[in-house]
Amino acid sequence: MKRVFSGARPTGKQHLGNYLGAIQNYVRLQAEYQCVYCIVDLHALTTLEDTRDLKQNIRDMALDWLAAGLEPQKSIIFVQSHVPEVTELHVLFSMITPLSWLMRVPTFKEKAKSQPHNVNYGLVGYPVLMTADITLYKAEVVPVGEDQIPHLELAREIVRRFNTLFGYVFPEPEAKLTTFPIVLGLDGKEKMSKTAGNVIELALSPEELTEKIKTAVTDTARVFRRDVGHPEVCNIYRFHKYFNPSQSDEIAQQCRTAQIGCVDCKTVIAREINNALAPFRQHRAEFAARKGYVEEVLADGARRAQAIASETIREAKEKMGLL
Ligand code: SF4
């Protein structure tokens, strides 16, 4: 079975965008691969200046992953900094990575623009740490969206350079291109994200979720109930596509002919989303009630990850003449 690695920043309680994108994909991959899923807290430090919520965010994220169907018996689920070998490999790779490779990475330029007061060293080295994340576990496959392909290509270049200079240690990770649905937030404009403040969290109660949905922006051309709508520009309609596929054509037709109003349409979709999330909520409540459960899962994941990592780092250091 090939090994997959994927990491996600600890963003706390997960939202519908995370669920329809990364999380559902993570759950599916467990059937085909040996999966290593990492909460990359060190990466978070490249942009986080206030770390007070970090610990709680890690716990919330892990809890949501488990409730959504990540299985600790099948997958290795852990926190990046709990396996310190990753920082060692990061240093080793940093010695063979030309600065020019890192300076041309588009996300570095974007971040430097968006946080000019905090263009830190970690931000430049981000792709090197990412390469260490993947290769420490000798992962062969990395699920990526199209925008992350340049990062993975850089990781492959670093791996090739290491293997050429010192001898083969690391497989070149391959991209498993995954198209994630773009889920817009409650404002109907921006991608759903905590930063944009437009999220619908998975952990909401059914009542809270219904209330949130009521506040969602729909087709702004529909001012009165009699106005015909344009489902293709409406975010609520997108949710019908994901959560109510059997009725979505009918809803579109009723919207275009003003047979259904936005209030009723939202009531229907809130009910469908609540139905879809019922098992998630049940599992979340069960896991949250088991004192220490999440911590145990993460500790066990770190132990299993470290068993692989310590072997890899030994091999790399031997090849480099450090041992
Ligand atoms: Fe959107 Fe539904 Fe309103 Fe049409 S009826 S604009 S799909 S919320």
Side-chain angles (χ1 to χ4, degrees), residues 1 17-18 48 77 92-93 95 159 163 185 201 228 273 291:
M1 215 181 218
N18 303 131
L48 259 193
I77 304 164
L92 300 182
F93 281 157
M95 304 304 169
V159 165
N163 288 343
E201 286 172 348
V228 296
I273 298 175
K291 203 166 177 292

Side-chain angles (χ1 to χ4, degrees), residues 237-252:
Y237 182 64
R238 285 214 174 108
F239 289 139
H240 277 285
K241 284 264 193 200
Y242 304 134
F243 291 102
N244 188 21
S246 64
Q247 277 188 303
S248 63
D249 286 348
E250 194 186 330
I251 293 278

